Structures are given as C-alpha cells and as structure tokens.
Amino acid sequence: MLNIKNLHVKLEEEDKQILKGVDLSVEAGKVHAIMGPNGSGKSTLSYVLSGREGYEVTDGTAHLGDVDLLELEPEERSAEGLFLAFQYPVEIPGVGNMTFMRTALNAQRKARDEEELSAADFLKLVRARAKDLKIDADMLKRPVNVGFSGGEKKRNEILQMAILEPKMCILDETDSGLDVDAMKLVSEGVNALRDTGRGFLVITHYQRLLDHIKPDVVHIMADGRIVKTGGPDLALEVENNGYADILAEVA
Amino acid sequence: MALPQVKVDATDARVADLSLVETGWTAAARKNALSRLREMGLPHRRDEYWKYTRPDTLVQPEAPAAAKFDPQEPPIFSEMDRLRIVFVDGVFDPEASDDLTLEDVRIDRLAEANSDIHWARDLYGALEAEGQEPVERPLATLNTAFATDGVLIHVTGKPSKPISLIYYHQATSSDAVLHHVIKLDAGTEFTLLENGPAAARFNKVMEVEVADRATFHHVRAQGRDHERRAATHIFARLGAESTFKSFTLTANGVLTRNECVIELTGDDAVAHVAGACVGDGDFHHDDTVFVTHDALRCESRQVFKKVLRNGATGVFQGKILVKEGAQKTDGYQISQSLLLDDDSQFLAKPELEIYADDVACSHGSTSGAIDETALFYLRSRGVPHAEATNLLTLAFLAEAVEEIEDENLRDEIVSRLEAWLTRHQS
C-alpha cells in the first residue's frame, strides 16, 4: 500500500536535514505505529507524505500503490486515497463544517470521475458517521474546528476520515490533548475503519494510544531514520524503559 | 478663507452646462445647495478627505467613457418578489418598471414632483446639508442641486415586499445624477434593494429618515462594468429604538466612493453598515463612513471587508463620533483586507472621537494574505487549490455578509461572490 524508500528530506528555508533515509512499507489491512522521541522526524514524515510546503525531498521515493506521491499536489494525493489526521486540526472561521466536508468529498469524487453526492445523500452519510463518533448537529453546523475542544477536534478528524474513506490513513499524534474517554472514543472510531483494504500509520509518543488501536508492527524512529522495527511488544518496551535503552542498543 | 481659484474653476466648469430646476418644491433646496457648493468647491486631490482617492474623474465636467460588461448571468435579485423601479443611464424607464403602487408605501418620482407642497420637502437636501458637518461632502451637494430624478418613498406601514431600484448602463459616456428620499414613519419596516452599474459615471444621494421604532433594511449590489465610476452618499437620521441596516456588495468598477453618514439622534437606536468588495486589477474602492452618536445607549457597527488582487486598491475611512452625553454608546468598527498578491493595497484610516465617559467603542483594521495553514488543510482533504482559495475568501467576507438579516438576500449575495471568484481565479 504505502512504500517509502530511502526518503531524505530537508527544510526548504534552511539547511537542515530532517529525514535521513526512511524505509517503510505499510501493507493493506495492517496498522503500523511509529514511535520516537521529540524531534525524530515523525511529524515531518506525515507532512512530506501529504504534500505540505516547506520541505524539500533530496533523495528517495514514496509511493501509494503505483502512484508516486511526491509528484502530486496535496489535493491529488488526497483523491488517490491518502489521509492525514492532523496533530493540530486547523480552525477555519467562516467555513461551515458540513460545507467543508461536502466540498472535500465531492472534489475527491470528481477527481476520480465519480458522481457527486447530492446534499440529501451527503446529509444521510454524515449523520450516520457522526452518530458513531458522538458528534452532535451543533458541531456539524459550526465553522470548521472553531470553538471545538481538543477532543472534538480529533473526533472531527476521524469523522472526515470516515466520510472520505481513504486507502491509507496517517494519524499524527492523534492522542495528544485527549483525556482517557476521548481517546477511547477516537480509537473506537479508528478501529471501526480498520479494513482489509486499508492501511494505517499511527504516529505517537506514547504507548497508551496503542492499547486502544492495536498495531501489527511498531517502528522506532530517531534522528530521521527508522532505527528498530518489531511487534506490539516493542511499544511496551518503550513504555517501560523509555527510548534511551533502545537508542543505546542500536547506536 | 477664500476658496482656492483651482476649486472655483473646477466647480464653475462642472456646473456650467447643468441647469437648475427653479420651480416646484425642490427649488429652494436646490438653490441653497448650489450656493453651498460654490462656497466649499468640489473635492480636490489635495483635500485631506480625498487623500487616498483621486476625485478628478468624479469632478470633471464630462463623464469618462465606460464600456458595458456582460458577466453572462441575470442581474442579482431577479428571482425575488419585489417592486421594480428601473433607471437606464439615470433615466426612468416606465416600460421596465412596475406600477409604482404598493400598500403601506407612497412612491413618487423626483422628476414628477412639481407641486409646491410635498412630504419630502423638509427632507430633500436637509439631511445632506446636515451631513456636511464636520466634514464637507461637496459631491452630495452637487447632487442636491442638480439631481435629474430619483424616488421619494414614504413608508407608512410594513409593505409586503421590497422596493428594488435597478440601474442599467447603456450609453458609453452617460452621467447620471439621482437623488432618493426615504422616510419611514414610526414603527414601520421596509427593505430597499439596489443593483446595477447605473451609468459610466453615477452620482447618487440617498437621504433616509428612520422614525422611532422603525426598521430600515438596505441591500445594494454595485457590480458588472469594469470601467464605471460612482460616488454615492447615504445620509441617515435615526429616531429612538429604530434600526438601520445597510449592506453593499461592490464588484468591479474602476472607481467607487461610497460615503455613509449616520446620525443616531434617538435613544436605543441601532445602525449597522457593512460592505464586501472584490476587486481585480484596475479597481479602486473607497468606503468612507461617519457615524455620530448623539443619544443614549445606541449601537453602531461598521464591518468592511475587501478582497484585492492584481494591483487593486481598497480604501476605508471610518469614524465613530460620540457626542457629549451619548452615554452607554456601543460602537464597533472593523475594516479588513485580503490581499491576494503583493501589488494590491489597502489604505485604512479608522478614527474614534469620544466626548462621553461611559462608552464601549472598539475598532480594528488588518491586511493579510490567505492563511496557508488553512489552505493546506483544505487541500489535504482533496479540495483543489483554486476552490480552497475561494472557500477561504468567502469565509473572510462572511462577517460582512452576515450583517444581512434576510437569508434569501444573503444567499443571493454569496452566490454573486462565488460567481465572481470563479471568474477571477488565478
């Protein structure tokens, strides 16, 4: 599904190398987790994959299926089935949440030569998905993320994921800013989307999210590289011993 | 102080070929206006009040030519139930207009009101003359003296539908001078719509008296022709517990100056004036607003948003004057521009002048570009760059558009903005 080879990335504005040769493959139906200390390049990886400006790929490749992601605009990557759940979902005053989601879904459908969804059909779809995530009508009516609590913002990200039905989901620190109940709700939302045809890449500092979203594979990232890969146990090891031991071990 | 010769000459040249109506109930007001005009002279580019907008083409005797532009869509408000009054290049078109009768309203035309007595006699030119203090507005005075037509609307109840003034532009160098007077009796409610490019050059004055507990809604769309010019003035006087809400959409037009002068004279009155403008290229748009609080517990809001690209210029001069004794005033003023490139500019002069000690007044002015973070967020969800930019642009304009209370009218304005943005995508 997602294939990253030897990916090197530097900041566009300054001479600073962030990713120094990332190799990673996420298969359809699998959940991969990336853990790592602050500044290891986890979020940069998610931004580069989704096409955010400000980064320069100096070497390596990233493919979603047969598609070369790095050649595409962010909206084209999205239409190809890539989805990034933001660590800090953006507030957009003046744009209604429903309008936003409908515009996004129909833009994607149009890009894929599918028929656009009518307002009525869209409403039906949103209501069904929103209910599962305990998102009320008021949150749908308000401007995108404006006045949302931390938990509401993350639930709204998962709602978008549920509506857009991407092939490959990247969750960037989705647990940050969430209390235990909110984390459970968000995780249930993600788990409901787990499917043989869909891959997940879950980026997190902490093991606790992985109690709820059980990964198949865990990677440790440090200083711009994947330094260790293992099963779910690896996350527990981090939880118990911190990153220092692992980093010392691979150094 | 004697008027500078350059102003004397410019004023003489402008009025040379205009003829003053000397009979009927407007004669005295017109004569008075001409003598006031000669004292103050027409605006000059060195006048402080015209620092950001060159008045030359608004003042010169001949209207500069302006080509017609067809955006390939029916004029705004076309689908609405309304009473239509049509002017073509400033000339009333009886064929295209509806019968000027509507329950709870009396409608006359200025050009036909020739008797000696008329309800508008005490208002015509009176609010305009009052509005000359403390800042002179000579183009409005010129209008009072030489207006060729206009509508006189006396609202005595709550008419079932809006009156819609529709201005077409046909002749390349047409120069239209229209003067409307609107009077709302106590407790009445009325909506006025205006749309169309009007003429190559349009000078319009609207005087509005809103009596106690009356509500006036005004929604205007100035658009279409790229080369048209306009200088418009609204003079409004508000009684106790009355409401005045005016919104203007401006799209295109090489030069537009919209002045709005509001006097809150009765306690607990509310005045909102808002504008959304979109300009691409050779476009200069000036909102000049002056709100005077002269009563207790009045509320005023000025909300102006401008989207500018390819060298377009936006100007905002907005003032809140709170007179002594106008306690518990609630005044708000915001002017913002969205600059879509480095060539466009926004010039703002927000002013507060307060002589009461128990008031809440706030004002703000900003210029900015599209929020890149929001743009990326939208694109990451599959919304193409151009569409995402338009969505954010509409969001920027939303605060002004939301000042329109009626949902259908609001939707009409938004659909026009969407169409304009789609036509002007980069």
Side-chain angles (χ1 to χ4, degrees), chain B residues 40-112:
Chain B
M40 65 179 116
L42 283 165
H44 187 269
R45 62 170 116 63
R46 279 196 294 273
D47 290 353
E48 181 65 24
Y49 217 45
W50 290 86
K51 189 173 172 181
Y52 305 117
T53 298
R54 285 184 71 130
D56 307 44
T57 54
L58 298 173
V59 167
Q60 70 187 49
E62 303 291 326
K68 276 181 63 175
F69 168 69
D70 183 2
Q72 310 282 335
E73 60 180 359
I76 192 168
F77 310 136
S78 291
E79 300 297 311
M80 303 197 68
D81 184 22
R82 57 193 176 144
L83 188 146
R84 293 167 301 174
I85 304 177
V86 177
F87 292 92
V88 180
D89 292 317
V91 177
F92 178 66
D93 182 345
E95 300 292 311
S97 301
D98 291 323
D99 188 17
L100 302 189
T101 53
L102 180 64
E103 209 171 321
D104 294 326
V105 193
R106 178 180 156 177
I107 309 165
D108 297 299
R109 281 184 34 238
L110 180 65
E112 286 191 339

Side-chain angles (χ1 to χ4, degrees), chain A residues 202-214:
Chain A
V202 180
I203 296 171
T204 181
H205 270 296
Y206 304 107
Q207 192 268 339
R208 57 177 188 170
L209 178 67
L210 305 179
D211 284 341
H212 300 284
I213 305 173
K214 298 238 176 334

Side-chain angles (χ1 to χ4, degrees), chain B residues 21 23-31 110 113 115 121 124 144:
Chain B
V21 173
T23 58
W25 59 271
T26 62
R30 289 176 184 274
K31 195 176 159 203
L110 180 65
S115 60
R121 192 177 64 179
Y124 185 87
T144 297

Side-chain angles (χ1 to χ4, degrees), chain A residues 73 75 84 108 157 160, chain B residues 377 379-382 385 387:
Chain A
E73 297 293 331
E75 55 268 36
L84 169 65
Q108 291 204 5
E157 293 292 287
Q160 292 164 41
Chain B
Y377 189 65
R379 294 178 73 193
S380 80
R381 297 301 181 248
H385 191 287
E387 207 176 329

Side-chain angles (χ1 to χ4, degrees), chain B residues 220 222 248 250 256-260 274-277 285-289 304-306 314-318:
Chain B
R220 153 169 78 165
Q222 302 170 305
T248 300
T250 308
T256 307
R257 164 105 158 193
N258 291 330
E259 296 197 25
C260 186
C277 96
H285 181 85
D286 177 334
D287 283 301
T288 291
V289 181
F304 289 88
K305 304 262 185 163
K306 298 177 198 293
V315 174
F316 174 77
Q317 302 189 99

